[in-house]
Amino acid sequence: TFSLFEAATCKDTLRILSSQAIDYIVLDLFLVDGSTFPIVDEIITHYPGTGILISTMNSEKIYGRRLIQKGVRGFVCKQASISELEKAIRILLNGDVYISPELKADLSGNGSADTERNLIDALSDRELEVVEYLILGIGIKEISNQMNIDATTVSTYRRRACEKLKVTSNIELKDKFLLFKMGT
């Protein structure tokens, strides 16, 4: 027998994990209260027996490699077929790691050697999180509150991301990031 829990927020996810023994979690990258990037690290550190499968609309090209390298046990785009999601869940339940053929090629170095890809990969997790919020049109102060960091720190992450992506404005940042995120 098994129990099933649902959480709409990062806070609820951590509350459930702290009160129940959870073997597996299917997690989106963004919940109602923000990015799950920080809680992925927390789950891996504090609940190492919990297998994490990411199921998200966010790009596998941007997030798949990064999350698998962190210790996530699988990454499935929500655009994938139901049978692909079922396959990923079965693999996770068997104690293995699910990696799509595209991500497998990327991890083995057989994927496209795209210059833009290297620029996105150069972003730290926090820089990537700030960029995601910026392209949603969220301001520095609100990002600061969402990430629970100082506004000057958010500005520093933004500046570093712009340098790494070789852009000078939020408009260029959004255009370049979205162009890559859409798979071109």
Side-chain angles (χ1 to χ4, degrees), residues 112-126:
S112 63
D114 188 329
T115 303
E116 300 298 319
R117 138 142 255 134
N118 295 332
L119 296 178
I120 297 291
D121 285 348
L123 297 178
S124 72
D125 291 349
R126 294 302 250 179

Side-chain angles (χ1 to χ4, degrees), residues 40 48 50 86 114 140 155 158 160 162 165 167 182-184:
V40 165
T50 301
E86 289 172 348
D114 188 329
I140 299 289
S155 294
R158 180 206 166 277
R160 288 180 188 162
C162 285
L165 295 176
V167 298
M182 297 304 179
T184 55

Side-chain angles (χ1 to χ4, degrees), residues 74-151:
F75 188 100
V76 178
C77 290
K78 287 185 178 176
Q79 298 94 327
S81 67
I82 292 294
S83 63
E84 195 69 18
L85 177 60
E86 289 172 348
K87 178 181 177 182
I89 291 170
R90 276 194 305 278
I91 288 171
L92 179 70
L93 293 174
N94 285 331
D96 295 321
V97 176
Y98 170 78
I99 300 175
S100 72
E102 296 82 14
L103 186 55
K104 191 176 289 187
D106 183 46
L107 289 168
S108 69
N110 296 331
S112 63
D114 188 329
T115 303
E116 300 298 319
R117 138 142 255 134
N118 295 332
L119 296 178
I120 297 291
D121 285 348
L123 297 178
S124 72
D125 291 349
R126 294 302 250 179
E127 290 163 352
L128 182 58
E129 191 175 355
V130 166
V131 169
E132 283 283 1
Y133 285 128
L134 287 170
I135 66 171
L136 291 173
I138 298 172
I140 299 289
K141 185 170 173 52
E142 191 176 340
I143 295 170
S144 165
N145 292 334
Q146 193 75 28
M147 294 176 67
N148 199 29
I149 58 176
D150 193 73

